[in-house]
Amino acid sequence: MKAHSSWPTWMVLVIVFAFSNLCAAQTQGEEGEEATQWFTTDELNVGLGEAPDEINRMSPREAIRSFLELTEEEDYQGAAHVLNLAELSPEEQQERGHVLAMQLAEVFRRGEWLSASNLSGRQDAVIEDTTGENPLAGDPRRDIELASLQADGEAYDIRLGRYRVEDEDPIWLIMPGSVASIPLLYDEYGPSMVEEYIPDRFKTTFGFLMVWEWIAVPVFLVLIVLLGWSIYTFVGLMARWLPSGAPSIFAARIKGPMSLIVMSLVTQMLLEYVVSFSAVAMTTFRVLLITVMAWGVGTIALRLVDTIMLRMARRLVGEIDDTKPKDERRLLTTLYAVRRAVILVMVSAVTIYVLSQIQLFETLGLSLLASASVLAVLVGIAGQTVLGNILSSLQLSLAKPIRIGDLVIFEDEWCYVEGIFYTFIRLRVWDERRIIVPVTYFVSKPFQNLSVKSAKMYRSMELILHLSTDIALLRKTFLEYAQEEDSVIEHHKLLCYATGQTATTLVITCYFVASDPMSGWTAEMNIREKLLTFIREDHPDWWPRDVMVISHQDIARAEGTKPHKTIMGTSSEKPATDSEPRKEE
């Protein structure tokens, strides 16, 4: 009976145990959730005393805004309440708190242009992303990065953390690890030696810069420009002093890039060791210096390739035409392809380097990815012609249907290919005119490449002569004249035949092989003139003439006629009968 009466007690114990476990699990879940929203601590900055009433540290935006406003008013003791000085003792907090706040304000002012408006205004710093492309959107954060600065070749992050003391509301403070790096960053980005001699009244802020900076920046720029002009002039004088040739040409072409590189290096050295400005001016200078340096180095590399191309063209090719060996013309074409590759690599490298150095990838990466399709459409529409020409140029470089120096017939013009560039091809006409043709237009039109395999060319020449012409004698004379021409090669292929006939004339066609098309044209004109002179002086009866039949008798056999004297190429015969006369002209 006692055994049966004890079961209600056991049931109560089981229910109480299960309920206590559920409560404990819920409590642990809440503590785990709170652990992702803030850092829990027992005390904060006890050595600094009570925080000023005007300071607001409930959100990242308000905390940094309060810090910047207090430091601008030089209330560094109040600004120290935005720092988490947990690694310092209460005495050190009282002694060094305002110093660290002043140093951090200088780092922000000179090293990183920090705007409180760019920070989250929410207490939990949740990333609000309506597009849904940010994987962290909607999650609360307990620490965020304010800036990442370089000092002694190492990167140091300045981070803002959310802290909660017991049951108080959580607040945002500069994290202890970042506070520890403030002296090192101050040594790197703090005031320069020149600022030690500037009166305090000129150090007040006026707009984005301090008063003394509005005076120093223009003077600084003028001095740098004068330095660049001096370098430009000096390099120009060196180009004149150097012997004529590739060195002088190269020196003359790098005057501008060299002066910009020197200006960039000197400016960077002065900003690092002599003078420093506010973050607005420093950021602007840094972007300009990086861009100028990258552009200068890329331009000098391109000028070096151009000079090498010019030197090799003068030594190996000279005047560019198809009389030069095919290997030399192929080499020059390859050099042009290398030039285009250098341009493409330099532009890409400079763009990537500049974007990486000014840290645009981190701030614009998601935006660029989000608008990639829009950018692709815009670039495709706006740069369709340019991109098409570039791709066609690369196609010409790989397939090589034409080479530098090839003789082509393009739209009935005899032209030499003088240059293949990214967006156009430069053709030199035989009369020294230049035709600039877009690459896409050139490759979309049929053209004749007379130098694709060899510069030699078959030429044909026609003569219209009388039926009585002695073809064997004319052939012999043609062979003699053709062999006298230096540009006529492969004499065993010389041909001369009657290739056509009419009622009154013969068509005589002569064939020969010329070393190149232009020389072949000249040889054809010379041979034609010599043959015409030979016919005019020795065989004028070979000239073609009209024949008018005034008799029904056979003219070729001259039946019933008797010859009579031929006068001025016209012969007349008296018929055997007194019927109808016959006349030949």
Side-chain angles (χ1 to χ4, degrees):
M1 191 71 183
K2 292 182 179 180
H4 291 287
S5 63
S6 62
W7 70 269
T9 305
W10 286 103
M11 182 64 68
V12 172
L13 292 176
V14 169
I15 294 174
V16 171
F17 180 75
F19 181 76
S20 62
N21 287 338
L22 180 62
C23 294
Q26 184 176 0
T27 303
Q28 291 177 359
E30 293 178 355
E31 291 179 355
E33 183 179 356
E34 292 177 356
T36 62
Q37 297 184 8
W38 53 69
F39 298 96
T40 303
T41 182
D42 296 332
E43 57 184 12
L44 280 174
N45 301 337
V46 294
L48 298 180
E50 293 294 329
D53 295 335
E54 63 270 16
I55 193 171
N56 187 347
R57 298 172 293 178
M58 301 304 295
S59 68
R61 179 184 301 169
E62 296 301 329
I64 295 302
R65 181 176 293 164
S66 299
F67 179 82
L68 295 178
E69 290 176 352
L70 290 172
T71 53
E72 187 175 353
E73 297 172 0
E74 297 186 357
D75 184 5
Y76 300 115
Q77 193 69 38
H81 287 274
V82 186
L83 308 180
N84 187 346
L85 305 176
E87 295 185 356
L88 301 179
S89 62
E91 294 77 11
E92 291 177 327
Q93 293 176 5
Q94 181 67 28
E95 295 176 359
R96 298 184 55 195
H98 65 285
V99 176
L100 292 173
M102 181 271 296
Q103 292 179 346
L104 181 59
E106 290 293 330
V107 170
F108 281 151
R109 186 178 294 118
R110 302 169 188 275
E112 185 74 18
W113 186 16
L114 184 63
S115 176
S117 301
N118 296 331
L119 301 176
S120 174
R122 294 175 57 108
Q123 295 184 5
D124 53 3
V126 170
I127 298 177
E128 298 176 349
D129 184 12
T130 57
T131 63
E133 296 182 358
N134 193 326
L136 300 179
D139 295 335
R141 294 180 294 173
R142 63 176 182 175
D143 67 282
I144 60 175
E145 180 182 322
L146 296 178
S148 180
L149 301 174
Q150 297 284 334
D152 296 335
E154 299 290 338
Y156 294 91
D157 294 339
I158 300 179
R159 305 189 69 87
L160 199 64
R162 193 183 188 197
Y163 298 90
R164 182 178 184 182
V165 180
E166 297 179 351
D167 295 333
E168 298 179 2
D169 293 332
I171 58 176
W172 289 87
L173 303 174
I174 301 295
M175 300 183 70
S178 300
V179 173
S181 62
I182 290 177
L184 182 62
L185 294 174
Y186 181 77
D187 293 338
E188 182 74 19
Y189 298 97
S192 60
M193 61 179 69
V194 175
E195 295 181 60
E196 298 177 358
Y197 303 98
I198 297 176
D200 293 337
R201 64 178 180 273
F202 291 109
K203 293 183 180 180
T204 57
T205 302
F206 181 74
F208 293 104
L209 303 176
M210 289 184 285
V211 174
W212 73 271
E213 291 176 333
W214 287 106
I215 302 172
V217 169
V219 175
F220 185 79
L221 292 176
V222 170
L223 295 177
I224 294 300
V225 170
L226 290 177
L227 174 64
W229 179 81
S230 303
I231 299 299
Y232 183 89
T233 305
F234 177 73
V235 177
L237 292 176
M238 287 187 59
R240 296 181 181 179
W241 293 338
L242 291 173
S244 60
S248 60
I249 295 175
F250 179 68
R253 289 184 173 183
I254 64 171
K255 293 187 295 183
M258 184 60 69
S259 60
L260 291 177
I261 289 177
V262 174
M263 290 168 59
S264 178
L265 292 175
V266 173
T267 302
Q268 188 172 355
M269 183 178 63
L270 292 176
L271 293 177
E272 186 173 354
Y273 298 105
V274 180
V275 64
S276 61
F277 300 104
S278 299
V280 177
M282 293 296 293
T283 302
T284 304
F285 275 125
R286 182 161 58 90
V287 173
L288 290 176
L289 292 177
I290 291 172
T291 306
V292 167
M293 178 68 71
W295 180 86
V297 173
T299 303
I300 289 179
L302 182 60
R303 295 290 184 268
L304 179 61
V305 174
D306 287 341
T307 305
I308 294 175
M309 287 176 54
L310 179 62
R311 181 179 179 85
M312 297 188 70
R314 289 183 174 180
R315 289 185 56 185
L316 301 179
V317 181
E319 185 70 18
I320 303 173
D321 55 34
D322 62 345
T323 61
K324 304 302 178 183
K326 184 168 60 176
D327 293 339
E328 295 181 0
R329 290 186 282 117
R330 184 185 295 113
L331 174 62
L332 192 60
T333 306
T334 304
L335 288 177
Y336 269 85
V338 170
R339 182 183 186 275
R340 295 195 297 275
V342 169
I343 294 176
L344 183 61
V345 170
M346 286 300 171
V347 170
S348 302
V350 167
T351 303
I352 294 174
Y353 176 75
V354 171
L355 292 178
S356 62
Q357 289 298 312
I358 62 179
Q359 298 177 354
L360 283 183
F361 283 141
E362 299 175 359
T363 57
L364 298 181
L366 294 177
S367 300
L368 291 177
L369 290 176
S371 57
S373 59
V374 178
L375 289 176
V377 172
L378 293 177
V379 171
I381 295 176
Q384 181 178 4
T385 303
V386 176
L387 293 177
N389 283 318
I390 292 176
L391 294 177
S392 299
S393 177
L394 296 177
Q395 177 187 355
L396 288 179
S397 301
L398 296 176
K400 289 187 174 63
I402 57 173
R403 298 180 299 265
I404 305 299
D406 280 0
L407 178 62
V408 297
I409 299 179
F410 181 72
E411 295 187 343
D412 298 328
E413 292 280 0
W414 284 58
C415 313
Y416 286 109
V417 180
E418 195 173 44
I420 304 174
F421 301 94
Y422 258 119
T423 56
F424 66 91
I425 296 176
R426 188 173 64 219
L427 304 176
R428 187 180 81 241
V429 190
W430 63 273
D431 57 1
E432 295 302 322
R433 290 181 292 119
R434 299 302 191 273
I435 299 179
I436 307 300
V437 185
V439 181
T440 52
Y441 183 81
F442 184 86
V443 298
S444 63
K445 298 290 182 178
F447 61 91
Q448 298 182 43
N449 189 343
L450 304 180
S451 310
V452 64
K453 286 189 174 295
S454 174
K456 69 179 182 179
M457 181 182 182
Y458 276 92
R459 302 285 302 188
S460 62
M461 177 184 65
E462 288 187 351
L463 295 176
I464 309 298
L465 300 175
H466 192 262
L467 290 171
S468 62
T469 301
D470 187 347
I471 299 176
L473 178 59
L474 184 64
R475 181 184 296 116
K476 179 181 177 181
T477 306
F478 163 73
L479 294 177
E480 292 177 357
Y481 291 158
Q483 291 175 4
E484 292 175 359
E485 295 293 329
D486 295 334
S487 58
V488 175
I489 59 176
E490 300 182 10
H491 295 167
H492 63 284
K493 294 184 179 181
L494 295 173
L495 301 173
C496 183
Y497 292 103
T499 57
Q501 178 186 357
T502 65
T504 58
T505 60
L506 287 175
V507 179
I508 308 298
T509 306
C510 303
Y511 298 91
F512 62 91
V513 181
S515 58
D516 61 271
M518 293 303 295
S519 299
W521 183 86
T522 304
E524 179 184 342
M525 301 303 107
N526 292 336
I527 296 173
R528 187 189 301 274
E529 291 179 359
K530 292 179 181 180
L531 287 176
L532 293 177
T533 303
F534 167 74
I535 295 172
R536 183 178 64 252
E537 294 180 353
D538 296 340
H539 299 279
D541 54 320
W542 291 358
W543 294 127
R545 51 194 182 272
D546 295 330
V547 175
M548 183 177 64
V549 178
I550 59 177
S551 173
H552 296 292
Q553 300 181 10
D554 189 358
I555 299 175
R557 295 175 59 185
E559 294 181 353
T561 65
K562 61 179 180 180
H564 67 281
K565 187 176 181 181
T566 301
I567 301 175
M568 296 300 292
T570 302
S571 62
S572 61
E573 297 179 351
K574 184 179 180 180
T577 63
D578 294 331
S579 57
E580 295 179 1
R582 179 174 60 84
K583 182 179 181 182
E584 178 182 334
E585 293 183 356

